[in-house]
Amino acid sequence: MLVTLLSGDKPRSAILTVLLLGVLICLAGAPFLFPGVRSLETAATICIFILLVASYDLLLGYTGIVSFAHTMFFGLGAYGVALSATHLGRGWGALVVGSLSGAIAAALLALVIGLFSLRVRAIFFAMITLAVASAVAVLVSQLFNITGGEDGLTYRIPRELTPAFRMGELFGVRLNGRILNYYLVFICCFLLFLFLLRVVNSPFGRVLQAIRENDFRAEAIGYRVVWYRTAATCLSAAIAALAGSLYAIWLRYVGPDTTLSFEIMLDILLMVVIGGMGTMYGAVLGAVIFVLAQNYLQALMGVAASATEGVPILPLFLDPNRWLLWLGLLFILSVYFFPTGIVGRLRAGR
Amino acid sequence: MSDPVLELSGLHTDIAQYHILEGVDLSVPRGQVTMLLGRNGVGKTTTLRTIMGHWAAKSGTIRYDAQDITGWPTPARARAGIGFVPEDMGIFSDLTVEENMVLAAASGPLDPARLTRIFAAFPPLKTFWTAEAGNLSGGQKQMLSIARAMAEERILYLIDEPTKGLAPAIVSTMAGALRDLKAQGASILLVEQNFAVAKALGDHAAVMEGGRIVWTGPMAELAADTALQERLMGLNMEVQG
């Protein structure tokens, strides 16, 4: 049953299995295991980034396509929900319409980019995606009347998903719409992640892997490489857009910095590389480590700095303001020691 | 000569600024093995890759099974029944032997009877069926490469140096498999540097020099004439074989 759920793609490492189960339990029980606004924010961000990174892994890890437009697709989904909620009013229908419109718009844009540039060399495709993503970011910023420009958009979502909606108490935790909103995000991300696992383990996914390894050979067997690459790009874009929609539903705000910035694109790249490309499970570990480090490393360093107050020089290095330096160092070390990502390393060390 | 399955006429191919094929004319008879011979760098691999569509022909025509396929994309040529075994084997190392074979049957599921024949020809593939193809030995990878081409019914096989760098025992397995393929009536255009194998398998031979076919005739005639071999290829089959 569990193997069927995972589409036969078992973790293939005891440590990895334990880690993945740990992440699943922590995320499934986050509102009760780690009560508090900040921890719930972190858990929801982890869920969304797992999905976003997994959709990018479909492109980079399974198909061998380097794209810099993934945040653009993420943003399209987020703005889809924001615009729909703004213009159609508060309601479930607006969320569904916005999510679907964002996903369709992302898939169509991916189709156009793919048909124009996937026939040529990989570097050209990467450059095209970078140019289009930058153009869309500028456009969103300039079209102030529609998108809210740099300020972004704030909108209302159904009351059942907001803290104002109260439902009593369970295990000492006050149940409210925010927790419902979290479970909406968690369940959607979980199901879409399982869908991606199904895709990469299907005959379609095998063809993508064959194309990544040797596109000439895949063509010589009879597969239309451009068609498969374009289909993978569209699918990946649509899933990224759905992740963006969930982010917009969770935040109740969208802006260029939260959904379209190139910084997010770099974060996604790092999460894929740290977790392990072409594994799907790498997206889980990469997103968990990265988001936790982004949210808690600074606080952890503050504690470490106070604990080492008596030691000369060390508190200077552990100053919370230097958290980005340590984050960078952590990534350099992880890429150095785990060139195939954490999942690749764990699987090799079976 | 029987009805040709493949005819190349005045085929020219450039790779970057280099003019590699300079008017190849070749006829490959149906149901027989044609050896494509010649020194290194004369254009044998480029000929196969141009037939497969990996390199675009600059001019000339490729007629296959009574159709002009010169402008066809590679996947269409493969689906029309041309199986290609490249020199570098081109196996998908991250996938298992099974996944490699399933992918090779691009038009539908693997035929069990065909798979049984493949296992009989290449027993190690059955042993390592669920192993990652990248972990196979060189000989086993070559077996997989040929087995992939055999995963579906093909009209024409283009095989590029299948015995290159293999141990004698594996060479003999490979030759046996090609003999079986020939016995099943397949048409084969084979580039082969091992003259013992070439002599044993070939019905016809075409010798290339400077991007052109400079001699065609029965393989037996070439095998018997050492002076001709010396003149065409600078080699003597008796010594090599």
Side-chain angles (χ1 to χ4, degrees):
Chain A
M1 160 79 181
L2 190 65
V3 175
T4 314
L5 205 63
L6 299 176
S7 307
D9 192 348
K10 291 183 266 185
R12 306 208 304 270
S13 150
I15 300 172
L16 181 60
T17 308
V18 171
L19 288 174
L20 291 173
L21 270 175
V23 170
L24 180 65
I25 291 166
C26 287
L27 290 177
F32 304 99
L33 295 172
F34 316 103
V37 175
R38 189 170 180 204
S39 51
L40 203 58
E41 287 286 340
T42 308
T45 310
I46 287 174
C47 291
I48 289 159
F49 270 84
I50 286 174
L51 181 61
L52 181 61
V53 175
S55 67
Y56 191 64
D57 196 25
L58 170 68
L59 209 56
L60 181 68
Y62 283 87
T63 322
I65 296 172
V66 180
S67 162
F68 292 113
H70 218 58
T71 38
M72 177 184 75
F73 300 128
F74 182 62
L76 279 178
Y79 273 92
V81 164
L83 290 171
S84 162
T86 306
H87 298 290
L88 297 181
R90 187 182 207 178
W92 292 94
L95 300 188
V96 173
V97 168
S99 301
L100 290 179
S101 315
I104 292 168
L108 285 176
L109 189 53
L111 179 71
V112 173
I113 297 174
L115 289 179
F116 272 105
S117 50
L118 278 173
R119 288 174 190 280
V120 292
R121 290 197 312 181
I123 187 71
F124 185 69
F125 178 78
M127 291 300 108
I128 289 278
T129 55
L130 185 61
V132 174
S134 305
V136 168
V138 170
L139 206 65
V140 167
S141 169
Q142 298 293 312
L143 295 174
F144 183 85
N145 291 336
I146 302 169
T147 62
E150 289 296 323
D151 296 334
L153 293 170
T154 310
Y155 42 89
R156 282 148 58 92
I157 59 172
R159 189 169 176 274
E160 293 82 357
L161 298 177
T162 63
F165 182 70
R166 296 180 193 282
M167 296 177 294
E169 209 173 288
L170 185 68
F171 304 127
V173 176
R174 279 184 192 164
L175 299 180
N176 61 24
R178 194 70 175 150
I179 292 179
L180 268 188
N181 197 338
Y182 173 76
Y183 278 109
L184 173 76
V185 168
F186 171 76
I187 290 167
C188 289
C189 289
F190 184 64
L191 293 178
L192 285 168
F193 182 81
L194 290 180
F195 169 71
L196 281 172
L197 262 185
R198 181 58 55 92
V199 169
V200 296
N201 288 292
S202 69
F204 173 76
R206 295 283 173 256
V207 177
L208 295 184
Q209 284 169 276
I211 289 171
R212 178 197 64 197
E213 273 203 53
N214 191 335
D215 54 350
F216 275 118
R217 194 65 209 124
E219 281 210 316
I221 291 175
Y223 296 104
R224 283 179 288 242
V225 167
V226 173
W227 188 93
Y228 277 92
R229 278 184 175 154
T230 307
T233 309
C234 292
L235 186 61
S236 167
I239 302 283
L242 289 175
S245 300
L246 290 170
Y247 202 38
I249 293 170
W250 175 253
L251 287 181
R252 290 177 287 166
Y253 161 81
V254 295
D257 286 346
T258 52
T259 55
L260 287 167
S261 77
F262 194 69
E263 271 175 41
I264 301 175
M265 189 63 242
L266 290 180
D267 292 350
I268 297 171
L269 266 171
L270 280 170
M271 289 183 219
V272 170
V273 172
I274 289 167
M277 282 193 286
T279 61
M280 278 294 147
Y281 296 120
V284 178
L285 298 189
V288 168
I289 292 169
F290 197 95
V291 175
L292 283 180
Q294 269 186 332
N295 283 278
Y296 294 107
L297 186 62
Q298 204 170 4
L300 202 69
M301 284 177 63
V303 174
S306 345
T308 53
E309 253 174 10
V311 184
I313 305 175
L314 201 56
L316 285 175
F317 284 107
L318 295 173
D319 189 307
N321 291 329
R322 297 201 169 84
W323 76 281
L324 268 176
L325 170 80
W326 285 99
L327 194 63
L329 205 63
L330 270 177
F331 295 141
I332 293 168
L333 290 176
S334 65
V335 171
Y336 183 78
F337 287 110
F338 307 123
T340 53
I342 296 169
V343 172
R345 182 77 186 82
L346 288 174
R347 281 180 170 171
R350 267 183 296 166
Chain B
M1 189 179 278
S2 60
D3 155 48
V5 66
L6 179 78
E7 276 186 299
L8 310 179
S9 316
L11 202 63
H12 287 256
T13 302
D14 289 357
I15 300 177
Q17 72 270 39
Y18 303 105
H19 194 173
I20 308 294
L21 300 188
E22 301 188 7
V24 173
D25 295 299
L26 176 66
S27 185
V28 176
R30 194 178 292 272
Q32 298 189 13
V33 178
T34 303
M35 308 302 305
L36 190 58
L37 306 170
R39 295 180 176 92
N40 284 334
V42 293
K44 303 186 295 292
T45 296
T46 305
T47 303
L48 296 195
R49 292 177 72 89
T50 307
I51 297 167
M52 205 59 220
H54 287 326
W55 297 119
K58 190 179 159 197
S59 62
T61 57
I62 305 169
R63 283 191 70 76
Y64 160 74
D65 212 20
Q67 297 172 88
D68 185 349
I69 62 163
T70 317
W72 287 20
T74 302
R77 298 180 199 211
R79 285 176 186 270
I82 304 180
F84 180 40
V85 180
E87 190 182 357
D88 65 1
M89 299 179 270
I91 60 154
F92 305 122
S93 334
D94 286 350
L95 303 183
T96 63
V97 171
E98 180 184 7
E99 287 165 346
N100 268 274
M101 290 298 294
V102 169
L103 272 176
S107 58
L110 263 176
D111 172 20
R114 182 169 285 274
L115 194 59
T116 306
R117 275 211 306 275
I118 290 171
F119 284 154
F122 304 120
L125 296 187
K126 191 174 184 182
T127 313
F128 297 108
W129 188 238
T130 55
E132 269 187 20
N135 295 333
L136 298 179
S137 70
Q140 289 161 351
K141 282 179 184 164
Q142 189 60 275
M143 288 179 196
L144 177 58
S145 182
I146 294 178
R148 269 194 332 195
M150 295 161 67
E152 282 190 330
E153 188 72 48
R154 307 279 185 192
I155 297 170
L156 170 68
Y157 290 85
L158 309 174
I159 306 177
D160 198 356
E161 302 209 31
T163 63
K164 189 180 174 186
L166 300 182
I170 311 276
V171 170
S172 128
T173 305
M174 221 50 89
L178 295 175
R179 207 173 291 118
D180 286 350
L181 210 56
K182 179 182 170 181
Q184 287 158 32
S187 312
I188 303 175
L189 178 59
L190 180 62
V191 172
E192 180 57 69
Q193 298 281 20
N194 182 323
F195 288 103
V197 174
K199 203 162 79 172
L201 287 174
D203 297 306
H204 300 275
V207 181
M208 290 189 77
E209 182 63 54
R212 286 193 189 89
I213 302 287
V214 292
W215 187 89
T216 55
M219 185 68 212
E221 188 184 322
L222 182 64
D225 192 340
T226 51
L228 185 64
Q229 294 160 29
E230 289 279 4
R231 182 168 63 81
L232 293 172
M233 297 176 287
L235 291 168
N236 183 323
M237 283 189 189
E238 294 306 319
V239 176
Q240 292 291 318

